[in-house]
Amino acid sequence: MLYRLAPNAPGPVNRLSQIGFARPALVFAAFLAVTAAAYVPMRLAFGLARWFGLGPFTVQASRIFLYLGYFLFGAGIGLAQIRRGVLSPGGQLAEHWPRWAALALIAYGLLAVLAYDRRAAMPNPDVLPLGSQIAYSLAFVLFSAAMAFAILAWFISFDRPGSGLLDAMRPAAYGIFLVHYVPVLWLQHWLLPVEMSPFAKAGIAFAGGLGASWAATLLLLRIPGAKRVL
């Protein structure tokens, strides 16, 4: 609907992306600001435990605008000139992927320290002082943004044409992204009461979620006109 009403609305993000070919830190700063604006107020308003649901679709209340903001930011980057933007294989983001990986690792360490402090030091870890909630929210914001950039930088840097699984998945990649949330979420829900190693649960959720999403996308692509969307 937004595209129909204002097809050039993501234009400013695309222009920023082109600047990010040589200066990805500027794009990261904007991405970090979007993450903070989308997540922190909702996190303070609804906490971590509030969920909204409609049938099989459920979403954590604090992340509603976070998902929307990330989608629109990505749409802006992909609007035009993607080979001359921040996600170009020849850009500085891919060139310096170890830096982004290090930033994500530092942010994760900060998040882990705050989570440990919450569990070990707070008399009621489910009811946190406002200062602790803000600190935890900002650490999550930093980790989310840094991890997104680190993963993108790593894949762009090491992307090579071949005949592997990732190449076979390319035609269905966007569809997998669109539909994965439901099978992944419900697989985790079904596995929650099962006595099993968390690593085994993670493996089952990953493999099952990916397989179900890929199969669903291949079926959807058989619908006439679906390839224009997926």
Side-chain angles (χ1 to χ4, degrees):
M1 185 182 298
L2 177 63
Y3 179 75
R4 289 294 185 185
L5 295 174
N8 294 318
V13 176
N14 192 259
R15 290 190 289 273
L16 178 64
S17 171
Q18 293 177 55
I19 296 172
F21 179 89
R23 303 172 67 186
L26 291 179
V27 184
F28 178 75
F31 191 66
L32 190 65
V34 168
T35 307
Y39 178 75
V40 175
M42 295 290 284
R43 166 69 176 81
L44 297 179
F46 293 104
L48 289 174
R50 182 78 179 273
W51 288 68
F52 295 139
L54 179 63
F57 301 97
T58 57
V59 63
Q60 200 168 354
S62 60
R63 301 188 184 189
I64 291 175
F65 292 124
L66 182 67
Y67 294 141
L68 177 63
Y70 275 20
F71 181 86
L72 294 177
F73 206 95
I77 291 175
L79 181 67
Q81 305 288 353
I82 193 166
R83 289 289 175 178
R84 294 171 55 189
V86 68
L87 298 185
S88 168
Q92 289 297 301
L93 179 69
E95 179 74 19
H96 298 292
W97 70 265
R99 299 180 184 178
W100 297 102
L103 178 60
L105 187 61
I106 292 170
Y108 179 78
L110 176 61
L111 195 63
V113 168
L114 290 172
Y116 175 80
D117 179 68
R118 170 187 166 194
R119 291 294 176 186
M122 299 292 177
N124 185 353
D126 294 323
V127 181
L128 297 178
L130 180 61
S132 297
Q133 292 188 52
I134 293 174
Y136 187 87
S137 300
L138 292 176
F140 177 80
V141 161
L142 178 61
F143 171 69
S144 295
M147 193 64 185
F149 267 57
I151 290 174
L152 288 168
W154 190 87
F155 271 99
I156 295 167
S157 179
F158 288 92
D159 180 35
R160 300 290 184 274
S163 58
L165 180 64
L166 293 179
D167 287 309
M169 200 183 302
R170 282 179 188 268
Y174 186 60
I176 291 171
F177 161 72
L178 287 179
V179 305
H180 82 277
Y181 190 74
V182 173
V184 169
L185 185 70
W186 281 93
L187 274 171
Q188 292 181 80
H189 176 71
W190 291 329
L191 288 169
L192 191 62
V194 178
E195 292 292 335
M196 188 185 297
S197 161
F199 297 103
K201 288 185 177 182
I204 293 172
F206 175 78
L210 176 59
S213 304
W214 195 355
T217 301
L218 293 178
L219 290 174
L220 289 171
L221 287 171
R222 293 177 177 270
I223 300 174
K227 290 184 178 181
R228 296 184 60 187
V229 180
L230 301 179

